[in-house]
Amino acid sequence: MPRIDNEKFYKSSIKKYGLSAKGVQWNSLSSQKIRFEIILKMLPKDLHNYTLVDAGCGFGDFYNFLKSKNQLPLKYIGIDTLDEMVQIASKKTSQKIIKADICKDKLIEADYYICSGAMNILDKFETHLFIQNCYNHSKKGFIFNILYGDKESDIYNYMTLLKIKDIARYLELEELKIKTRYLKNDITIAFIKRSKSNF
């Protein structure tokens, strides 16, 4: 079970901050964009050739960020567990947004899965399951950010580099990319699958 009720947490946040970066629990619009920039740098430059699933898409802000950069994928699909998020993201992006629980439900396959911030209030087991499911349903890889460090919190989920590497080993990861020092207490990880050779 989550340490806190995900639906109540985000509904309260939306009620307080509206359809903004703070409404999905980012400190600010600028910090949200910094995290999006890091994810984009870890994705291929020819993103328009690949399908992408945004796991825990919130308001669909990552799609609109990609659009502003002229870096839209071949196909974008958002997934969120909250009805309200699904409805808002559908309107804001005009893309397919699916209601699903990443940890429990059957997922679709895509070249890349990404996640920005959606694991920050999960417990450790849920986080492992979330990462595993996204990675297993990607053809090329899963790129995500998460709170970084060994802090203990009743609300937020922090991960150490040791734990991230443990998950990578468990998944028999082919390539691990790590980016830190762009924001305090934040880390971006790419779990990449090697292209299958024809030889």
Side-chain angles (χ1 to χ4, degrees):
M1 291 288 291
R3 289 164 298 181
I4 60 174
D5 187 300
N6 185 62
E7 187 168 355
K8 286 181 181 177
F9 180 79
Y10 282 107
K11 279 189 174 181
S12 173
S13 187
I14 293 168
K15 187 176 180 180
K16 185 173 182 180
Y17 298 110
L19 305 186
S20 65
K22 285 191 173 184
V24 282
Q25 285 294 305
W26 293 112
N27 289 333
S28 65
L29 180 61
S30 62
S31 65
Q32 182 190 51
K33 285 186 176 179
I34 289 168
R35 289 176 173 95
F36 286 171
E37 289 280 4
I38 300 298
I39 289 175
L40 180 57
K41 285 178 182 176
M42 289 188 162
L43 285 164
K45 291 182 179 179
D46 57 341
L47 187 58
H48 61 276
N49 290 320
Y50 299 99
T51 56
L52 184 143
V53 170
D54 186 352
C57 66
F59 301 147
D61 291 332
F62 187 67
Y63 173 85
N64 287 316
F65 167 79
L66 292 177
K67 189 175 181 181
S68 74
K69 297 285 186 179
N70 197 27
Q71 291 281 352
L72 287 176
L74 180 66
K75 185 177 183 181
Y76 170 97
I77 295 173
I79 299 177
D80 207 280
T81 188
L82 272 67
D83 283 320
E84 193 166 1
M85 297 290 197
V86 171
Q87 292 167 12
I88 293 166
S90 295
K91 288 178 183 177
K92 288 185 73 173
T93 66
S94 299
Q95 300 299 302
K96 183 176 182 179
I97 310 295
I98 299 168
K99 183 186 178 185
D101 185 328
I102 299 291
C103 295
K104 298 176 184 177
D105 297 331
K106 183 175 175 60
L107 303 180
I108 61 171
E109 193 173 72
D111 293 315
Y112 288 94
Y113 265 68
I114 71 99
C115 175
S116 186
M119 291 184 278
N120 286 348
I121 60 168
L122 300 182
D123 65 28
K124 301 300 182 190
F125 176 75
E126 290 169 328
T127 302
H128 189 136
L129 198 56
F130 192 111
I131 292 170
Q132 177 178 303
N133 288 347
C134 289
Y135 181 74
N136 287 343
H137 286 85
S138 70
K139 297 176 187 175
K140 303 289 184 181
F142 176 41
I143 300 164
F144 62 95
N145 56 48
I146 197 160
L147 294 171
Y148 179 47
D150 56 5
K151 288 185 181 180
E152 293 296 330
S153 169
D154 292 332
I155 298 175
Y156 296 107
N157 174 27
Y158 290 84
M159 289 192 75
T160 63
L161 193 55
L162 181 62
K163 181 60 180 174
I164 291 163
K165 287 181 176 180
D166 282 345
I167 295 173
R169 278 192 292 271
Y170 175 81
L171 295 176
E172 298 181 346
L173 197 65
E174 292 163 341
E175 185 178 359
L176 175 63
K177 296 180 180 179
I178 299 166
K179 180 68 176 176
T180 59
R181 298 181 181 177
Y182 55 91
L183 285 171
K184 186 178 179 182
N185 299 324
D186 208 85
I187 189 168
T188 301
I189 306 293
F191 283 9
I192 303 298
K193 296 181 178 181
R194 291 194 188 98
S195 297
K196 292 180 180 178
S197 174
N198 294 323
F199 299 101

Short mmCIF file of all heavy atoms in Angstrom, two decimals, residues 26 31-32 34-39 42 62 114-120 127 130-131 142-148 157 159 164 179 182-183 185-190:
data_model
loop_
_atom_site.label_atom_id
_atom_site.label_comp_id
_atom_site.label_asym_id
_atom_site.label_seq_id
_atom_site.Cartn_x
_atom_site.Cartn_y
_atom_site.Cartn_z
N TRP A 26 5.49 19.82 -8.45
CA TRP A 26 6.81 20.34 -8.75
C TRP A 26 7.02 21.61 -7.93
O TRP A 26 6.06 22.35 -7.66
CB TRP A 26 6.95 20.66 -10.24
CG TRP A 26 6.92 19.45 -11.11
CD1 TRP A 26 5.95 19.10 -12.01
CD2 TRP A 26 7.90 18.41 -11.18
NE1 TRP A 26 6.27 17.92 -12.62
CE2 TRP A 26 7.45 17.47 -12.13
CE3 TRP A 26 9.11 18.18 -10.51
CZ2 TRP A 26 8.17 16.32 -12.44
CZ3 TRP A 26 9.83 17.03 -10.83
CH2 TRP A 26 9.36 16.13 -11.78
N SER A 31 11.82 24.26 -12.46
CA SER A 31 12.41 22.96 -12.08
C SER A 31 11.79 21.83 -12.89
O SER A 31 12.48 20.88 -13.26
CB SER A 31 12.25 22.70 -10.58
OG SER A 31 10.90 22.57 -10.22
N GLN A 32 10.51 21.94 -13.19
CA GLN A 32 9.86 20.95 -14.04
C GLN A 32 10.51 20.92 -15.42
O GLN A 32 10.82 19.86 -15.97
CB GLN A 32 8.37 21.27 -14.18
CG GLN A 32 7.61 20.24 -15.02
CD GLN A 32 6.20 20.71 -15.35
OE1 GLN A 32 6.01 21.82 -15.84
NE2 GLN A 32 5.22 19.87 -15.08
N ILE A 34 13.54 21.91 -16.24
CA ILE A 34 14.91 21.39 -16.14
C ILE A 34 14.89 19.87 -16.21
O ILE A 34 15.67 19.24 -16.93
CB ILE A 34 15.61 21.88 -14.86
CG1 ILE A 34 15.92 23.38 -14.97
CG2 ILE A 34 16.88 21.08 -14.58
CD1 ILE A 34 16.34 24.02 -13.67
N ARG A 35 13.97 19.26 -15.48
CA ARG A 35 13.86 17.79 -15.49
C ARG A 35 13.46 17.29 -16.87
O ARG A 35 13.97 16.27 -17.34
CB ARG A 35 12.85 17.35 -14.42
CG ARG A 35 13.35 17.54 -13.01
CD ARG A 35 12.27 17.17 -12.01
NE ARG A 35 12.77 17.18 -10.64
CZ ARG A 35 12.68 18.21 -9.80
NH1 ARG A 35 12.11 19.35 -10.22
NH2 ARG A 35 13.16 18.14 -8.58
N PHE A 36 12.54 18.00 -17.52
CA PHE A 36 12.14 17.62 -18.87
C PHE A 36 13.32 17.71 -19.85
O PHE A 36 13.49 16.85 -20.72
CB PHE A 36 11.01 18.52 -19.37
CG PHE A 36 9.66 18.25 -18.75
CD1 PHE A 36 8.60 19.12 -18.99
CD2 PHE A 36 9.42 17.15 -17.94
CE1 PHE A 36 7.34 18.89 -18.44
CE2 PHE A 36 8.17 16.90 -17.38
CZ PHE A 36 7.13 17.78 -17.63
N GLU A 37 14.13 18.74 -19.69
CA GLU A 37 15.31 18.92 -20.57
C GLU A 37 16.26 17.74 -20.43
O GLU A 37 16.81 17.25 -21.43
CB GLU A 37 16.04 20.22 -20.22
CG GLU A 37 15.33 21.49 -20.59
CD GLU A 37 15.47 21.88 -22.06
OE1 GLU A 37 16.07 21.10 -22.84
OE2 GLU A 37 14.96 22.95 -22.42
N ILE A 38 16.48 17.28 -19.21
CA ILE A 38 17.40 16.16 -18.97
C ILE A 38 16.86 14.89 -19.62
O ILE A 38 17.60 14.14 -20.27
CB ILE A 38 17.63 15.95 -17.46
CG1 ILE A 38 18.24 17.19 -16.81
CG2 ILE A 38 18.52 14.73 -17.21
CD1 ILE A 38 19.60 17.59 -17.34
N ILE A 39 15.57 14.64 -19.45
CA ILE A 39 14.96 13.46 -20.09
C ILE A 39 15.11 13.54 -21.60
O ILE A 39 15.49 12.56 -22.25
CB ILE A 39 13.48 13.31 -19.69
CG1 ILE A 39 13.37 12.89 -18.22
CG2 ILE A 39 12.78 12.27 -20.58
CD1 ILE A 39 11.95 12.83 -17.69
N MET A 42 18.37 12.51 -22.95
CA MET A 42 18.63 11.07 -22.89
C MET A 42 17.85 10.29 -23.94
O MET A 42 18.12 9.11 -24.16
CB MET A 42 18.34 10.55 -21.49
CG MET A 42 19.35 10.99 -20.45
SD MET A 42 19.08 10.16 -18.88
CE MET A 42 20.66 10.42 -18.07
N PHE A 62 4.68 17.04 -20.38
CA PHE A 62 5.87 16.62 -21.13
C PHE A 62 5.58 16.62 -22.64
O PHE A 62 6.45 17.00 -23.44
CB PHE A 62 6.35 15.24 -20.68
CG PHE A 62 7.66 14.83 -21.30
CD1 PHE A 62 8.84 15.49 -20.99
CD2 PHE A 62 7.73 13.79 -22.22
CE1 PHE A 62 10.05 15.13 -21.57
CE2 PHE A 62 8.94 13.41 -22.79
CZ PHE A 62 10.09 14.09 -22.47
N ILE A 114 8.88 6.91 -20.51
CA ILE A 114 9.50 7.92 -19.66
C ILE A 114 8.61 8.16 -18.45
O ILE A 114 7.39 7.91 -18.49
CB ILE A 114 9.79 9.26 -20.40
CG1 ILE A 114 8.49 10.05 -20.70
CG2 ILE A 114 10.60 9.03 -21.66
CD1 ILE A 114 8.20 11.15 -19.72
N CYS A 115 9.20 8.65 -17.38
CA CYS A 115 8.43 9.03 -16.19
C CYS A 115 9.13 10.20 -15.52
O CYS A 115 10.32 10.13 -15.23
CB CYS A 115 8.33 7.86 -15.22
SG CYS A 115 7.51 8.31 -13.67
N SER A 116 8.36 11.26 -15.27
CA SER A 116 8.92 12.43 -14.59
C SER A 116 8.08 12.72 -13.34
O SER A 116 6.97 13.26 -13.44
CB SER A 116 8.93 13.64 -15.52
OG SER A 116 9.58 14.72 -14.90
N GLY A 117 8.60 12.31 -12.20
CA GLY A 117 8.00 12.67 -10.92
C GLY A 117 6.94 11.75 -10.37
O GLY A 117 6.58 11.84 -9.19
N ALA A 118 6.42 10.83 -11.19
CA ALA A 118 5.28 10.02 -10.75
C ALA A 118 5.61 8.98 -9.70
O ALA A 118 4.72 8.44 -9.05
CB ALA A 118 4.63 9.34 -11.96
N MET A 119 6.91 8.69 -9.50
CA MET A 119 7.28 7.70 -8.48
C MET A 119 7.63 8.33 -7.14
O MET A 119 7.99 7.63 -6.20
CB MET A 119 8.46 6.86 -8.99
CG MET A 119 8.09 5.93 -10.12
SD MET A 119 9.47 4.87 -10.63
CE MET A 119 10.37 5.99 -11.69
N ASN A 120 7.50 9.64 -7.05
CA ASN A 120 7.98 10.35 -5.85
C ASN A 120 7.20 10.09 -4.58
O ASN A 120 7.66 10.41 -3.49
CB ASN A 120 8.05 11.85 -6.12
CG ASN A 120 9.21 12.23 -7.02
OD1 ASN A 120 10.08 11.42 -7.28
ND2 ASN A 120 9.20 13.46 -7.51
N THR A 127 7.92 1.22 -6.30
CA THR A 127 8.90 1.85 -7.19
C THR A 127 9.61 0.81 -8.05
O THR A 127 9.76 0.98 -9.26
CB THR A 127 9.93 2.65 -6.38
OG1 THR A 127 9.24 3.63 -5.59
CG2 THR A 127 10.93 3.35 -7.28
N PHE A 130 7.12 -0.49 -10.61
CA PHE A 130 6.87 0.55 -11.62
C PHE A 130 8.01 0.56 -12.64
O PHE A 130 7.79 0.52 -13.86
CB PHE A 130 6.77 1.90 -10.91
CG PHE A 130 6.24 3.04 -11.73
CD1 PHE A 130 5.00 3.58 -11.47
CD2 PHE A 130 7.00 3.61 -12.76
CE1 PHE A 130 4.51 4.65 -12.21
CE2 PHE A 130 6.53 4.67 -13.50
CZ PHE A 130 5.26 5.19 -13.22
N ILE A 131 9.25 0.59 -12.14
CA ILE A 131 10.42 0.61 -13.03
C ILE A 131 10.48 -0.67 -13.87
O ILE A 131 10.70 -0.62 -15.09
CB ILE A 131 11.72 0.77 -12.21
CG1 ILE A 131 11.77 2.18 -11.57
CG2 ILE A 131 12.96 0.54 -13.08
CD1 ILE A 131 12.88 2.35 -10.55
N PHE A 142 13.78 2.79 -20.76
CA PHE A 142 12.95 3.55 -19.83
C PHE A 142 13.81 4.64 -19.20
O PHE A 142 14.88 4.37 -18.66
CB PHE A 142 12.40 2.61 -18.75
CG PHE A 142 11.61 3.30 -17.66
CD1 PHE A 142 10.71 4.31 -17.95
CD2 PHE A 142 11.76 2.90 -16.34
CE1 PHE A 142 9.97 4.93 -16.94
CE2 PHE A 142 11.03 3.51 -15.32
CZ PHE A 142 10.14 4.52 -15.62
N ILE A 143 13.34 5.87 -19.29
CA ILE A 143 14.07 7.02 -18.76
C ILE A 143 13.19 7.70 -17.71
O ILE A 143 12.02 7.99 -17.98
CB ILE A 143 14.43 8.01 -19.88
CG1 ILE A 143 15.31 7.31 -20.93
CG2 ILE A 143 15.15 9.23 -19.32
CD1 ILE A 143 15.41 8.03 -22.24
N PHE A 144 13.75 7.94 -16.54
CA PHE A 144 12.93 8.48 -15.45
C PHE A 144 13.76 9.33 -14.50
O PHE A 144 14.98 9.20 -14.41
CB PHE A 144 12.27 7.34 -14.67
CG PHE A 144 13.23 6.39 -13.99
CD1 PHE A 144 13.61 6.57 -12.67
CD2 PHE A 144 13.76 5.32 -14.69
CE1 PHE A 144 14.48 5.69 -12.05
CE2 PHE A 144 14.65 4.43 -14.08
CZ PHE A 144 15.01 4.62 -12.75
N ASN A 145 13.06 10.21 -13.79
CA ASN A 145 13.70 10.93 -12.69
C ASN A 145 13.01 10.57 -11.39
O ASN A 145 11.85 10.13 -11.38
CB ASN A 145 13.73 12.45 -12.92
CG ASN A 145 12.36 13.05 -13.16
OD1 ASN A 145 11.41 12.79 -12.43
ND2 ASN A 145 12.25 13.87 -14.19
N ILE A 146 13.76 10.74 -10.30
CA ILE A 146 13.24 10.41 -8.98
C ILE A 146 14.03 11.20 -7.94
O ILE A 146 15.14 11.69 -8.23
CB ILE A 146 13.34 8.88 -8.73
CG1 ILE A 146 12.44 8.46 -7.55
CG2 ILE A 146 14.78 8.43 -8.54
CD1 ILE A 146 12.11 6.98 -7.55
N LEU A 147 13.47 11.34 -6.76
CA LEU A 147 14.18 12.03 -5.69
C LEU A 147 15.39 11.20 -5.28
O LEU A 147 15.31 9.99 -5.14
CB LEU A 147 13.25 12.26 -4.50
CG LEU A 147 12.07 13.22 -4.77
CD1 LEU A 147 11.09 13.20 -3.60
CD2 LEU A 147 12.57 14.63 -5.04
N TYR A 148 16.50 11.88 -5.08
CA TYR A 148 17.80 11.22 -4.90
C TYR A 148 18.35 11.45 -3.51
O TYR A 148 18.43 12.59 -3.04
CB TYR A 148 18.75 11.78 -5.96
CG TYR A 148 20.16 11.25 -5.93
CD1 TYR A 148 20.42 9.89 -5.83
CD2 TYR A 148 21.24 12.12 -6.02
CE1 TYR A 148 21.71 9.41 -5.84
CE2 TYR A 148 22.55 11.65 -6.02
CZ TYR A 148 22.77 10.29 -5.93
OH TYR A 148 24.06 9.82 -5.92
N ASN A 157 9.50 9.69 -1.66
CA ASN A 157 10.28 8.49 -1.91
C ASN A 157 11.66 8.86 -2.47
O ASN A 157 11.77 9.34 -3.59
CB ASN A 157 9.51 7.63 -2.92
CG ASN A 157 10.28 6.42 -3.40
OD1 ASN A 157 11.14 5.90 -2.70
ND2 ASN A 157 9.97 5.97 -4.60
N MET A 159 15.60 7.64 -3.47
CA MET A 159 16.36 6.45 -3.86
C MET A 159 17.85 6.76 -3.88
O MET A 159 18.26 7.84 -4.31
CB MET A 159 15.94 5.95 -5.23
CG MET A 159 14.56 5.32 -5.25
SD MET A 159 14.26 4.43 -6.80
CE MET A 159 15.26 2.97 -6.53
N ILE A 164 19.32 1.97 -7.07
CA ILE A 164 19.09 2.05 -8.52
C ILE A 164 19.93 0.99 -9.24
O ILE A 164 19.45 0.29 -10.14
CB ILE A 164 19.41 3.46 -9.05
CG1 ILE A 164 18.36 4.47 -8.54
CG2 ILE A 164 19.47 3.48 -10.57
CD1 ILE A 164 18.78 5.90 -8.64
N LYS A 179 22.33 10.85 -14.64
CA LYS A 179 22.59 12.29 -14.65
C LYS A 179 22.21 12.87 -13.29
O LYS A 179 21.08 12.70 -12.84
CB LYS A 179 21.78 12.97 -15.76
CG LYS A 179 21.97 14.48 -15.85
CD LYS A 179 23.35 14.85 -16.32
CE LYS A 179 23.49 16.35 -16.50
NZ LYS A 179 24.84 16.76 -16.85
N TYR A 182 22.02 18.52 -11.47
CA TYR A 182 21.28 19.55 -12.21
C TYR A 182 20.26 20.22 -11.30
O TYR A 182 19.91 21.37 -11.52
CB TYR A 182 20.60 18.95 -13.45
CG TYR A 182 19.68 17.78 -13.16
CD1 TYR A 182 18.33 17.97 -12.90
CD2 TYR A 182 20.17 16.48 -13.15
CE1 TYR A 182 17.49 16.91 -12.62
CE2 TYR A 182 19.35 15.41 -12.88
CZ TYR A 182 18.01 15.62 -12.61
OH TYR A 182 17.19 14.56 -12.33
N LEU A 183 19.78 19.49 -10.28
CA LEU A 183 18.91 20.03 -9.24
C LEU A 183 19.21 19.28 -7.95
O LEU A 183 19.54 18.09 -7.98
CB LEU A 183 17.43 19.84 -9.58
CG LEU A 183 16.80 20.74 -10.64
CD1 LEU A 183 15.40 20.23 -10.97
CD2 LEU A 183 16.75 22.19 -10.20
N ASN A 185 18.84 17.04 -4.82
CA ASN A 185 18.00 15.88 -4.47
C ASN A 185 17.22 15.31 -5.65
O ASN A 185 16.09 14.84 -5.49
CB ASN A 185 17.03 16.22 -3.33
CG ASN A 185 17.73 16.63 -2.07
OD1 ASN A 185 18.79 16.09 -1.74
ND2 ASN A 185 17.17 17.58 -1.36
N ASP A 186 17.81 15.32 -6.85
CA ASP A 186 17.14 14.76 -8.01
C ASP A 186 18.14 13.99 -8.85
O ASP A 186 19.31 14.35 -8.92
CB ASP A 186 16.51 15.89 -8.84
CG ASP A 186 15.29 15.40 -9.60
OD1 ASP A 186 14.19 15.41 -9.02
OD2 ASP A 186 15.44 15.02 -10.77
N ILE A 187 17.66 12.92 -9.47
CA ILE A 187 18.50 12.11 -10.34
C ILE A 187 17.68 11.64 -11.53
O ILE A 187 16.48 11.38 -11.40
CB ILE A 187 19.10 10.90 -9.57
CG1 ILE A 187 20.15 10.18 -10.40
CG2 ILE A 187 18.02 9.94 -9.09
CD1 ILE A 187 20.97 9.17 -9.60
N THR A 188 18.30 11.60 -12.70
CA THR A 188 17.64 11.06 -13.89
C THR A 188 18.41 9.84 -14.36
O THR A 188 19.64 9.87 -14.45
CB THR A 188 17.56 12.11 -15.02
OG1 THR A 188 16.82 13.24 -14.54
CG2 THR A 188 16.85 11.55 -16.24
N ILE A 189 17.67 8.79 -14.65
CA ILE A 189 18.25 7.49 -14.97
C ILE A 189 17.71 7.03 -16.32
O ILE A 189 16.52 7.18 -16.61
CB ILE A 189 17.84 6.44 -13.92
CG1 ILE A 189 18.19 6.91 -12.51
CG2 ILE A 189 18.46 5.08 -14.23
CD1 ILE A 189 19.63 7.03 -12.22
N ALA A 190 18.57 6.44 -17.13
CA ALA A 190 18.14 5.79 -18.37
C ALA A 190 18.52 4.31 -18.31
O ALA A 190 19.69 3.99 -18.15
CB ALA A 190 18.77 6.46 -19.58
#
